[in-house]
Short mmCIF file of all heavy atoms in Angstrom, two decimals:
data_model
loop_
_atom_site.label_atom_id
_atom_site.label_comp_id
_atom_site.label_asym_id
_atom_site.label_seq_id
_atom_site.Cartn_x
_atom_site.Cartn_y
_atom_site.Cartn_z
N ASP A 1 8.05 -17.57 22.50
CA ASP A 1 8.32 -17.44 23.97
C ASP A 1 9.47 -16.37 24.36
O ASP A 1 9.52 -15.75 25.30
CB ASP A 1 8.68 -18.73 24.64
CG ASP A 1 7.44 -19.68 24.81
OD1 ASP A 1 6.32 -19.20 24.54
OD2 ASP A 1 7.73 -20.91 24.90
N ASN A 2 10.40 -16.36 23.39
CA ASN A 2 11.57 -15.46 23.49
C ASN A 2 11.43 -14.11 22.90
O ASN A 2 12.25 -13.29 23.10
CB ASN A 2 12.83 -16.14 22.94
CG ASN A 2 13.27 -17.40 23.70
OD1 ASN A 2 13.05 -17.49 24.89
ND2 ASN A 2 13.73 -18.34 22.97
N TYR A 3 10.29 -13.89 22.27
CA TYR A 3 9.99 -12.64 21.50
C TYR A 3 9.68 -11.55 22.60
O TYR A 3 8.94 -11.74 23.55
CB TYR A 3 8.90 -12.77 20.64
CG TYR A 3 8.45 -11.54 19.86
CD1 TYR A 3 9.19 -11.14 18.74
CD2 TYR A 3 7.50 -10.71 20.28
CE1 TYR A 3 9.02 -10.07 17.99
CE2 TYR A 3 7.15 -9.51 19.56
CZ TYR A 3 7.90 -9.17 18.54
OH TYR A 3 7.60 -8.10 17.76
N LYS A 4 10.32 -10.44 22.43
CA LYS A 4 10.09 -9.34 23.37
C LYS A 4 9.53 -8.18 22.55
O LYS A 4 9.84 -7.98 21.38
CB LYS A 4 11.34 -8.78 23.96
CG LYS A 4 12.05 -9.83 24.94
CD LYS A 4 13.27 -9.26 25.55
CE LYS A 4 13.87 -10.30 26.49
NZ LYS A 4 14.80 -11.23 25.85
N GLU A 5 8.65 -7.40 23.09
CA GLU A 5 8.03 -6.37 22.38
C GLU A 5 9.02 -5.28 21.92
O GLU A 5 8.97 -4.68 20.81
CB GLU A 5 7.05 -5.61 23.26
CG GLU A 5 6.17 -4.60 22.60
CD GLU A 5 5.21 -5.24 21.58
OE1 GLU A 5 4.74 -6.29 21.72
OE2 GLU A 5 4.93 -4.54 20.52
N ASP A 6 10.17 -5.08 22.65
CA ASP A 6 11.20 -4.20 22.32
C ASP A 6 11.94 -4.63 21.09
O ASP A 6 12.64 -3.77 20.42
CB ASP A 6 12.23 -4.02 23.48
CG ASP A 6 11.61 -3.40 24.67
OD1 ASP A 6 10.59 -2.79 24.55
OD2 ASP A 6 12.15 -3.62 25.78
N ASP A 7 11.98 -5.97 20.73
CA ASP A 7 12.60 -6.44 19.58
C ASP A 7 11.80 -6.20 18.28
O ASP A 7 12.29 -6.33 17.12
CB ASP A 7 12.86 -7.88 19.70
CG ASP A 7 13.75 -8.28 20.85
OD1 ASP A 7 14.56 -7.38 21.22
OD2 ASP A 7 13.74 -9.50 21.36
N SER A 8 10.57 -5.79 18.40
CA SER A 8 9.81 -5.58 17.23
C SER A 8 10.29 -4.36 16.42
O SER A 8 10.71 -3.41 17.07
CB SER A 8 8.36 -5.47 17.58
OG SER A 8 8.05 -4.24 18.31
N PRO A 9 10.21 -4.41 15.12
CA PRO A 9 10.55 -3.18 14.35
C PRO A 9 9.67 -2.05 14.63
O PRO A 9 8.53 -2.13 14.95
CB PRO A 9 10.28 -3.80 12.80
CG PRO A 9 10.03 -5.15 12.91
CD PRO A 9 9.72 -5.51 14.35
N LYS A 10 10.39 -0.93 14.64
CA LYS A 10 9.59 0.35 14.98
C LYS A 10 8.77 0.91 13.85
O LYS A 10 7.94 1.73 14.03
CB LYS A 10 10.68 1.41 15.38
CG LYS A 10 11.45 0.97 16.56
CD LYS A 10 10.60 0.56 17.71
CE LYS A 10 11.52 0.15 18.92
NZ LYS A 10 10.92 -0.74 19.88
N ASP A 11 9.05 0.37 12.60
CA ASP A 11 8.30 0.86 11.47
C ASP A 11 7.23 -0.09 11.03
O ASP A 11 6.86 -0.21 9.83
CB ASP A 11 9.18 1.16 10.32
CG ASP A 11 9.97 0.01 9.88
OD1 ASP A 11 10.03 -0.95 10.53
OD2 ASP A 11 10.72 0.19 8.83
N VAL A 12 6.54 -0.78 11.91
CA VAL A 12 5.50 -1.74 11.58
C VAL A 12 4.28 -0.93 11.21
O VAL A 12 3.92 0.01 11.89
CB VAL A 12 5.23 -2.64 12.76
CG1 VAL A 12 4.07 -3.57 12.49
CG2 VAL A 12 6.51 -3.50 13.15
N LEU A 13 3.56 -1.45 10.17
CA LEU A 13 2.39 -0.76 9.74
C LEU A 13 1.18 -1.43 10.53
O LEU A 13 1.15 -2.61 10.71
CB LEU A 13 2.16 -1.11 8.27
CG LEU A 13 3.13 -0.41 7.23
CD1 LEU A 13 2.84 -0.83 5.90
CD2 LEU A 13 2.99 1.07 7.40
N THR A 14 0.27 -0.53 10.92
CA THR A 14 -0.96 -0.96 11.59
C THR A 14 -2.00 -1.39 10.47
O THR A 14 -1.82 -1.07 9.34
CB THR A 14 -1.51 0.15 12.51
OG1 THR A 14 -1.92 1.13 11.67
CG2 THR A 14 -0.49 0.50 13.50
N SER A 15 -2.99 -2.05 10.96
CA SER A 15 -4.09 -2.34 10.01
C SER A 15 -4.72 -1.04 9.46
O SER A 15 -5.13 -0.98 8.24
CB SER A 15 -5.03 -3.31 10.60
OG SER A 15 -5.74 -2.57 11.77
N GLU A 16 -4.75 -0.08 10.30
CA GLU A 16 -5.34 1.25 9.86
C GLU A 16 -4.39 1.85 8.71
O GLU A 16 -4.83 2.32 7.62
CB GLU A 16 -5.43 2.24 10.91
CG GLU A 16 -5.99 3.52 10.67
CD GLU A 16 -6.13 4.50 11.89
OE1 GLU A 16 -6.75 3.99 12.93
OE2 GLU A 16 -5.61 5.59 11.85
N ASP A 17 -3.06 1.71 8.86
CA ASP A 17 -2.16 2.19 7.81
C ASP A 17 -2.35 1.46 6.55
O ASP A 17 -2.41 1.99 5.45
CB ASP A 17 -0.70 2.05 8.24
CG ASP A 17 -0.40 2.88 9.44
OD1 ASP A 17 -0.96 4.06 9.60
OD2 ASP A 17 0.54 2.50 10.26
N LEU A 18 -2.52 0.18 6.73
CA LEU A 18 -2.67 -0.74 5.52
C LEU A 18 -4.00 -0.46 4.81
O LEU A 18 -4.07 -0.49 3.54
CB LEU A 18 -2.65 -2.22 5.84
CG LEU A 18 -1.23 -2.68 6.39
CD1 LEU A 18 -1.34 -4.24 6.79
CD2 LEU A 18 -0.22 -2.63 5.28
N ASN A 19 -5.01 -0.20 5.55
CA ASN A 19 -6.30 0.14 4.98
C ASN A 19 -6.30 1.50 4.17
O ASN A 19 -6.80 1.65 3.10
CB ASN A 19 -7.45 0.30 6.06
CG ASN A 19 -7.86 -1.07 6.55
OD1 ASN A 19 -7.67 -2.13 5.90
ND2 ASN A 19 -8.38 -1.10 7.72
N ARG A 20 -5.50 2.55 4.80
CA ARG A 20 -5.37 3.78 4.10
C ARG A 20 -4.47 3.58 2.84
O ARG A 20 -4.86 4.21 1.80
CB ARG A 20 -4.74 4.82 5.03
CG ARG A 20 -4.54 6.13 4.44
CD ARG A 20 -3.97 7.17 5.44
NE ARG A 20 -3.11 6.64 6.46
CZ ARG A 20 -1.76 6.35 6.30
NH1 ARG A 20 -1.30 6.53 5.10
NH2 ARG A 20 -1.06 5.94 7.23
N LEU A 21 -3.44 2.82 2.87
CA LEU A 21 -2.63 2.62 1.74
C LEU A 21 -3.43 1.89 0.64
O LEU A 21 -3.32 2.15 -0.57
CB LEU A 21 -1.40 1.86 2.10
CG LEU A 21 -0.32 2.52 2.93
CD1 LEU A 21 0.71 1.56 3.37
CD2 LEU A 21 0.26 3.69 2.05
N SER A 22 -4.21 0.90 1.03
CA SER A 22 -5.05 0.17 0.13
C SER A 22 -6.03 1.07 -0.61
O SER A 22 -6.20 1.03 -1.71
CB SER A 22 -5.81 -0.97 0.88
OG SER A 22 -6.65 -1.61 0.03
N ALA A 23 -6.68 1.94 0.21
CA ALA A 23 -7.63 2.88 -0.39
C ALA A 23 -6.95 3.86 -1.38
O ALA A 23 -7.41 4.16 -2.42
CB ALA A 23 -8.31 3.80 0.76
N ASP A 24 -5.70 4.26 -1.00
CA ASP A 24 -4.93 5.25 -1.90
C ASP A 24 -4.64 4.43 -3.19
O ASP A 24 -4.69 5.06 -4.32
CB ASP A 24 -3.62 5.71 -1.26
CG ASP A 24 -3.82 6.68 0.02
OD1 ASP A 24 -5.04 7.17 0.15
OD2 ASP A 24 -2.97 6.86 0.80
N LEU A 25 -4.22 3.27 -3.12
CA LEU A 25 -3.90 2.50 -4.18
C LEU A 25 -5.07 2.27 -5.11
O LEU A 25 -5.00 2.27 -6.34
CB LEU A 25 -3.16 1.08 -3.75
CG LEU A 25 -2.66 0.27 -4.87
CD1 LEU A 25 -1.65 0.93 -5.75
CD2 LEU A 25 -2.10 -1.05 -4.33
N ASP A 26 -6.25 1.92 -4.48
CA ASP A 26 -7.45 1.78 -5.19
C ASP A 26 -7.80 3.01 -6.11
O ASP A 26 -8.14 2.98 -7.20
CB ASP A 26 -8.64 1.36 -4.31
CG ASP A 26 -8.62 -0.02 -3.82
OD1 ASP A 26 -7.83 -0.82 -4.41
OD2 ASP A 26 -9.29 -0.33 -2.86
N GLU A 27 -7.72 4.16 -5.31
CA GLU A 27 -7.91 5.42 -6.06
C GLU A 27 -6.98 5.68 -7.25
O GLU A 27 -7.40 6.08 -8.24
CB GLU A 27 -7.77 6.65 -5.07
CG GLU A 27 -8.92 6.64 -4.10
CD GLU A 27 -8.65 7.86 -3.02
OE1 GLU A 27 -7.92 8.77 -3.31
OE2 GLU A 27 -9.25 7.74 -1.97
N LYS A 28 -5.71 5.43 -7.03
CA LYS A 28 -4.77 5.49 -8.12
C LYS A 28 -5.05 4.61 -9.37
O LYS A 28 -4.95 4.95 -10.54
CB LYS A 28 -3.25 5.24 -7.62
CG LYS A 28 -2.25 5.39 -8.69
CD LYS A 28 -0.89 5.76 -8.18
CE LYS A 28 0.04 6.02 -9.27
NZ LYS A 28 0.17 7.39 -9.67
N ILE A 29 -5.42 3.35 -8.95
CA ILE A 29 -5.76 2.33 -10.04
C ILE A 29 -7.03 2.89 -10.79
O ILE A 29 -7.01 2.84 -12.08
CB ILE A 29 -6.03 1.07 -9.41
CG1 ILE A 29 -4.76 0.43 -8.94
CG2 ILE A 29 -6.76 0.10 -10.41
CD1 ILE A 29 -4.89 -0.89 -8.09
N ASN A 30 -7.95 3.37 -10.12
CA ASN A 30 -9.15 3.91 -10.81
C ASN A 30 -8.83 5.11 -11.66
O ASN A 30 -9.33 5.20 -12.76
CB ASN A 30 -10.22 4.31 -9.69
CG ASN A 30 -10.94 3.15 -9.10
OD1 ASN A 30 -10.94 2.02 -9.73
ND2 ASN A 30 -11.45 3.26 -7.90
N ARG A 31 -7.95 5.97 -11.24
CA ARG A 31 -7.54 7.12 -12.05
C ARG A 31 -6.79 6.59 -13.29
O ARG A 31 -6.96 7.13 -14.33
CB ARG A 31 -6.62 8.08 -11.21
CG ARG A 31 -7.39 8.91 -10.23
CD ARG A 31 -6.59 10.03 -9.65
NE ARG A 31 -5.29 9.64 -9.11
CZ ARG A 31 -5.00 9.25 -7.89
NH1 ARG A 31 -5.87 9.30 -7.06
NH2 ARG A 31 -3.76 8.92 -7.61
N LEU A 32 -5.90 5.60 -13.16
CA LEU A 32 -5.16 5.08 -14.29
C LEU A 32 -6.16 4.45 -15.25
O LEU A 32 -6.03 4.67 -16.57
CB LEU A 32 -4.14 4.09 -13.76
CG LEU A 32 -2.97 4.51 -13.02
CD1 LEU A 32 -2.16 3.41 -12.46
CD2 LEU A 32 -2.09 5.29 -13.97
N ILE A 33 -7.09 3.71 -14.77
CA ILE A 33 -8.12 3.02 -15.61
C ILE A 33 -8.85 4.07 -16.42
O ILE A 33 -9.11 3.90 -17.61
CB ILE A 33 -9.02 2.13 -14.86
CG1 ILE A 33 -8.25 0.97 -14.30
CG2 ILE A 33 -10.20 1.63 -15.74
CD1 ILE A 33 -8.98 0.01 -13.33
N LEU A 34 -9.15 5.21 -15.77
CA LEU A 34 -10.00 6.19 -16.41
C LEU A 34 -9.19 7.13 -17.25
O LEU A 34 -9.64 7.94 -18.01
CB LEU A 34 -10.76 7.04 -15.32
CG LEU A 34 -11.79 6.35 -14.57
CD1 LEU A 34 -12.35 7.15 -13.42
CD2 LEU A 34 -12.95 5.91 -15.56
N GLY A 35 -7.81 7.03 -17.10
CA GLY A 35 -6.88 7.85 -17.89
C GLY A 35 -6.83 9.29 -17.32
O GLY A 35 -6.51 10.23 -18.13
N ILE A 36 -7.06 9.52 -16.10
CA ILE A 36 -7.12 10.74 -15.51
C ILE A 36 -6.08 11.06 -14.48
O ILE A 36 -5.95 12.09 -13.80
CB ILE A 36 -8.51 11.21 -14.88
CG1 ILE A 36 -8.88 10.20 -13.79
CG2 ILE A 36 -9.58 11.27 -15.92
CD1 ILE A 36 -10.18 10.67 -13.05
#
């Protein structure tokens, strides 16, 4: 009830950001597994 939008951190990741980071991490893991 006391939370204000202005109090939220400005560097919050969106779900789109998290999906992109997850895809990047998946690619890196695959490259590591393949040794490339």
